[in-house]
Amino acid sequence: MRIGVPKEIKVHEYRVGLTPMGVRELVTQGHEVEVEKDAGSAIGYSDQAYIDAGASIVGEAEQVFRNAEMVVKVKEPQLNECGWLSEGQLLFTYLHLAADRPQTDALLTSGCTAIAYETVEDPHGGLPLLAPMSEVAGRMSVQAGAHCLEREQGGRGVLLSGVPGVSPGKVLVIGGGVVGGQAARIAHGMGAEVTVVDKSLPRLRQLDEQFDGQVKTLYSTAENIRQKLAESDLVIGAVLVPGAKAPKLVTREMLALMPQGAVLVDVAIDQGGCFETSHPTTHAEPTFVVDGIVHYCVANMPGAVARTATQSLTNATLPYVEALANRGWRKALASLPGLAPGLNVHGGEIYCQGVAEAFDLPLADLEEIVNNA
């Protein structure tokens, strides 16, 4: 199979779909890999490194897209990139379609087959291709939030760790999954007073045991969230409904409960955000203020630590890329457990329930695709 790896074009996005190591594995198995010029140069992966791994370097993004049977990316394709996709092509990347109607329409129009990293499942119902970036984003969320709390950044001037004789900052983590667990780990490690709220009692028990009771856990209700907002310096939004839009758990009215200069970090912004006042930002302009509350809503947080993130992502995606290239996407969906839910779009139809529901569009029959592979 001919595999294309374009350069990412979102603002300050330096990750790349495959490392040279990943390229070498694919070439060894008989596949052709074309990499756009300078796709990985910002994070230390030179064109020569890709050439040494067996790839061809292509000068134009459009050529990479049009030549490829499978395009492997990191972030969702921008609208001009969607225009370079066509029927019979396979796109494998993060999509987050439920929060992006223009991209959804463009992919439907293209006729391509689009498999989303974030809805691929493992045999236990986990999200193995979302988890690596969730780990990165969860850890970064506290780092970013701590910086935003500095007075010169518009924050209330609180040091999360506190100092002897001064209480530490208070961190509220909404959602106890991979992002929330990693956020709690970093915030606790920095010495903050941490509370995690979640709907799953088994998950709360797991977190309680993991942190030996030093991180507080609380069942997620609107009233409990309201009470904790009133005393929190930093709030991490870490709620995920796979493939669907994130629920709005903090309304604008609730901002009035928070101390002025407190910080909200919305890690769910790719799926529309879990704070009513959120909107996507970039690393170039990461924050904005609403009613005295600083919002950090960067839609590609792991892009700031792009080398680490790229290595982690390739480790997770490579087995799936190999399966898709070796077997073809239909046989791969039928034979590789958990890959089928990754199919979001094919032949102008939607196959992901969360996306169909988000836009009130028809849902095509995934079982028919799998059974007829």
Side-chain angles (χ1 to χ4, degrees), residues 294-317:
V294 180
H295 292 58
Y296 180 99
C297 304
V298 174
N300 60 327
M301 287 178 62
V305 289
R307 186 175 175 89
T308 296
T310 294
Q311 292 170 344
S312 180
L313 183 60
T314 296
N315 290 343
T317 59

Side-chain angles (χ1 to χ4, degrees), residues 121-127:
E121 298 179 0
D122 64 24
H124 308 291
L127 304 172

Side-chain angles (χ1 to χ4, degrees), residues 38-49:
D38 294 327
S41 60
I43 55 174
Y45 295 131
S46 66
D47 289 345
Q48 189 60 51

